[in-house]
Every structure is written in structure tokens, then in C-alpha cells.
Amino acid sequence: MSYMPLHSWWGTTTSDAWCDEVFSHAPGAGRAGATDSTLTNLQGGLSGVPYPADELATTDPLDGRPLLARYDLERAAKTLSDRQRDAGVPFRGVWRWDELLPVRDWSNVVTLGEGSTPLLEASRLGRAYGISQLLVKAESLNPTGSFKARGMTVAVSRAIELGAASFVMPSAGNAGGALAAYAGVAGVQATVVMPSDAPIVNQAEVVVCGADLILVDGLISDCGRLTARIAERTGAFNLSTLKEPYRVEGKKTMGIELAEDLGWSLPDVIVYPMGGGTGLIGMWKAFAELEEMGLIGGARPRMVGVQVEGCAPLVRAFLAGRQFAEPWAEATTEAAGLRVPSTVGDFLVLEAISESGGTAIAVPEAELAPTQSFAARHGAGFLSLESAAVFAALSELRSHHAVEPDDTVVVFDTGAGFKSTLPEVPARRSVGASDADWESLLSGYAPASQRGSTSASADSGP
């Protein structure tokens, strides 16, 4: 297995020769000409109707539902099987899997080096939650601080290859920042439409990267309606979640990497935060493709989707046994990425959870901040509120036996804490810079662990 303890990842890539070899194989560093993409066509995710792949596309003309990319998996397997035998090949990142990605020529690849995030062993958190093998896929280590980088590198690259000259999209935060960053790499215009209460760091990221930022006093669904009008008026290509076919292709590489990380097998359980659900859809798609190519067997993880009680349309639909999710009225949560009242790919999310034997759960808003702190103090680092929601679900999942102690459980850290609404920090009185000031401080100072607060070494439950 290639997962590693939380403390050891940075020490694994110190060889100059290794680094030279990696970067010599990266997209944009000497790679030219045709990729090995085996893309054949698009297909309606609900209708099943095939469509040509080599023209800009949005949703299925028949029903307005998502289009999904299809590949010649027999041809792709011929080279991917070599990769299965030699997981140490130097070309890393999302674009390592170009056989299963849609871009046909390397000259169109727009990249910041995303992907190949580590799968970390969270032993202290595992003990706290009563899970013997708890692993964290650290997507916050992507170049824009969240998993959104994966989807954006593929969607922007493919759209540019097919002739798009500018972009527009609605975003709760991280996706908009990622679009702005990748538009900056490509040198194209982008417009991001965000709720006016989106985290300020996400707003700043968009502006600093050179995209236009429009703030709307409303939800992301309202931003989506304005985005559609901007696209119609300006000709900018609309990159809204699941309203074009290729963001999901970038996110499916999380599933491919996970299989590789675990020696071409899959965990017992995956716990994932759901906004629009693209990441969960992408991984489920990846598993099907890997099985068809003979790279993994038929066993699947139980997929657990997590939302917040103030916005849980997919959870409500799953628990009611429905195929589609009704929009959530008056959606509210501080986890901006989970404040998504409806999604056009709802049926794909619900299908994946149901077919896997998994479940969906909504956690209380009041648990987000305490869990964010608890996870950090037990070794997970400073997680986003969206990632904190996943950890907040673990206790209930354990109590209902949706997760058992001997399961191998992978939770997804989808974004860094500095990319979401920041917690309130109690005011601290500063100390002067003189020896007298320091002596006065030290005469009454004791570390927090000695003052009766939670010890950094304690593994008590949340």
C-alpha cells in the first residue's frame, strides 16, 4: 500500500534526480503532439443517447441533464495495464491518466501540477473514532487549495481545445478561484459569479488571478441564472457544475489515484462531502472504467455522501428513496461549498450511493467548527468546513454501524481551512519585547495542556 503517515509525506520527494525526472515528464515540459486520449463520444447521463465529442457541448439536448464522456477502454487498457504493474513511473498528477481524459493534444493542456495528492494514514483520528484504518485523501494540497483544481484543469483545457475563448461560471468559492487561476495560465478571460457572502479569500483569489468577479445577493442557484444570461450575451463558455461534460472527468482521477494508492484495490467505505456531487459521480465513473479495463475487481466501496442540515437536498432524496432531489428552500450553512440547494446531476449521485450500499447523512451546523478544531488537534491539519463535515459524520456512522471498526475508511479532505470561512479566534493580548515583559509573562505561564484543556496527546473521541 502506498499511503503514508500524516507526518511523513513531505519527506518522500527529496531526491534531486527524482524531481528532475518527475518534472521532465510533466505536461508542458517537453510533451508535445497527440495525447493518448481514447475519447470516443459523449452520452446522455440519463437518456443514454450518444453525441459527438469533438465540439463544445453543455447538457443533453433531450433533457438538460449531464453529458458523460465515453472512451475506448479496450485501447486504454493496453497502456494503463503497464502502469498498474509499475506504479513508480515518474509522470505524476492528473494528466498521467491521459488515456482516460478528453484532451487530444498536449499543446492544449492547461495545468498547475494538480493531482497525485497523498493518501495519509490518520491513526490518532482513527483511534478517536474507533476506526482501525482511517485514511485521508489530502485534496487540500492541490495548487488552488482544493479538489476543484482537478476538474478545472480538464474542463478549461478541453474547452480551449474546442475553441472556447472566454469562460463564465457560478461558484460558492473554490471552483471560481480555480477557474480564475487556470484562465490565468491559459491567458483567457474568465468571469466568476459568487454569492455576496462567499468567503473573502475566495473572492480575493478570483480578483488577484485577473478574472472578473460579480457578487449576487442570493444563493449559488441565483448566480447560476445570471451566469446563463452572461454566457448568452457575451458568448463566454459556461462551466457550471455538470452543465459541461469535463469537470467530472478531472475529478474522476481522485478515484483512479485512490485505487492505485491501495495497490489497485478499493477501500470498504468512502466518506465524501456533497455540494453538487461531481466528485462522487466522478469516482463512481472511474471505478466502472477501471473494472472494465481489468485493473480492479467488481467490489465497490460503500459511498457515503455528507451534507449539512441547513442544506441537504441529496440526503433528503436518498432517505426518501427518490431518483431526483427537490431544491432545498432557504439553504444556509457556513460551509459555502455545501450550500448548493439543487444539482442537475442529482440522479447520478443518488444512483452511486444506492448501488454501492452506502448512505447519505446530514450533520448539524453546530458541529462543523468544533470538528474542524478536533480534527486539527488530532493530526488532520487545518481543514475546510466542508471537510470538517465529513469527520463530523463519522461518529453517527459508527453508531449506526454504517462504518465498522475494522473497515478501511477513506475520508476526503476536499479543501484547506484557509479557503473557507475562518473561525473566530479569541482576542490575544500581545506581550512587549523587553526582558521584563517576558519575565512577567513566564512567571505565570503554563502550556495549554497543563491548564486542564484538551491535551495534544489525548485520543478521546469528539
Side-chain angles (χ1 to χ4, degrees):
M1 304 297 182
S2 62
Y3 56 81
M4 59 198 70
L6 285 166
H7 64 270
S8 66
W9 183 66
W10 292 107
T12 63
T13 60
T14 55
S15 163
D16 289 341
W18 187 93
C19 292
D20 290 344
E21 184 71 0
V22 168
F23 289 113
S24 70
H25 287 76
R31 296 184 72 86
T35 69
D36 291 322
S37 175
T38 63
L39 179 69
T40 57
N41 62 281
L42 300 175
Q43 184 179 36
L46 185 61
S47 72
V49 174
Y51 297 95
D54 290 310
E55 55 190 49
L56 282 171
T58 54
T59 55
D60 190 333
L62 287 179
D63 55 22
R65 293 289 178 169
L67 292 171
L68 300 174
R70 301 304 183 193
Y71 299 85
D72 182 343
L73 297 177
E74 182 177 356
R75 181 158 65 93
K78 293 177 181 177
T79 51
L80 283 171
S81 60
D82 293 335
R83 203 159 300 163
Q84 181 193 33
R85 288 189 293 271
D86 181 14
V89 296
F91 179 19
R92 308 296 292 174
V94 164
W95 293 100
R96 179 185 181 194
W97 313 105
D98 59 307
E99 296 95 335
L100 299 178
L101 294 174
V103 175
R104 300 199 187 277
D105 195 283
W106 285 113
S107 65
N108 297 309
V109 170
V110 180
T111 182
L112 286 167
E114 56 290 316
S116 288
T117 57
L119 182 64
L120 304 172
E121 185 173 7
S123 56
R124 292 189 62 225
L125 277 166
R127 288 194 296 271
Y129 286 107
I131 301 169
S132 61
Q133 191 66 270
L134 180 63
L135 307 174
V136 179
K137 184 66 169 165
E139 289 298 295
S140 60
L141 296 178
N142 275 298
T144 62
S146 87
F147 77 116
K148 300 290 188 179
R150 291 182 186 265
M152 214 53 65
T153 182
V154 175
V156 169
S157 297
R158 182 59 172 160
I160 287 175
E161 183 166 67
L162 295 177
S166 60
F167 298 95
V168 62
M169 69 173 293
S171 173
N174 281 322
L179 171 59
Y182 285 91
V185 176
V188 296
Q189 173 61 38
T191 300
V192 176
V193 186
M194 281 185 180
S196 56
D197 59 353
I200 190 64
V201 65
N202 300 130
Q203 298 182 36
E205 184 179 20
V206 170
V207 173
V208 169
C209 289
D212 289 341
L213 175 63
I214 298 174
L215 299 177
V216 173
D217 292 330
L219 298 172
I220 191 172
S221 51
D222 302 305
C223 297
R225 292 187 293 111
L226 177 56
T227 292
R229 293 195 187 186
I230 293 172
E232 183 179 353
R233 297 279 183 92
T234 68
F237 187 64
N238 188 343
L239 282 175
S240 295
T241 300
L242 293 172
K243 292 188 176 180
E244 57 77 47
Y246 299 118
R247 284 175 63 185
V248 69
E249 294 302 293
K251 292 178 183 178
K252 84 179 180 186
T253 60
M254 293 188 294
I256 302 174
E257 283 182 19
L258 184 58
E260 183 187 37
D261 289 339
L262 295 173
W264 298 102
S265 63
L266 297 174
D268 298 302
V269 183
I270 289 175
V271 191
Y272 194 87
M274 302 187 299
T278 314
L280 195 150
I281 294 168
M283 285 191 286
W284 197 245
K285 184 174 187 289
F287 300 153
E289 292 174 352
L290 291 174
E291 182 186 3
E292 187 169 338
M293 291 185 292
L295 297 179
I296 63 172
R300 293 286 186 275
R302 302 190 299 278
M303 307 296 282
V304 178
V306 180
Q307 296 189 297
V308 179
E309 287 179 350
C311 184
L314 293 168
V315 174
R316 181 174 62 187
F318 175 79
L319 296 178
R322 297 175 185 150
Q323 182 182 15
F324 303 103
E326 292 295 321
W328 190 273
E330 300 180 3
T332 177
T333 174
E334 287 295 314
L338 302 183
R339 193 171 57 194
V340 181
S342 64
T343 173
V344 70
D346 51 2
F347 67 101
L348 293 169
V349 177
L350 297 168
E351 179 181 279
I353 295 173
S354 179
E355 288 183 357
S356 74
T359 190
I361 180 173
V363 299
E365 180 75 18
E367 291 186 10
L368 296 185
T371 302
Q372 183 186 50
S373 177
F374 178 84
R377 288 184 283 111
H378 285 74
F382 185 24
L383 305 173
S384 66
L385 292 174
E386 293 82 359
S387 300
V390 172
F391 286 97
L394 288 179
S395 293
E396 185 169 346
L397 292 169
R398 282 283 293 109
S399 67
H400 287 85
H401 300 284
V403 170
E404 298 292 355
D406 59 350
D407 281 336
T408 296
V409 180
V410 174
V411 299
F412 273 77
D413 159 24
T414 55
F418 60 82
K419 296 300 298 289
S420 61
T421 300
L422 296 177
E424 291 187 12
V425 178
R428 296 289 196 273
R429 188 178 67 178
S430 62
V431 63
S434 70
D435 286 344
D437 291 325
W438 295 347
E439 285 302 320
S440 177
L441 169 72
L442 293 172
S443 66
Y445 175 75
S449 61
Q450 298 176 17
R451 300 197 301 268
S453 63
T454 302
S455 169
S457 62
D459 284 324
S460 57

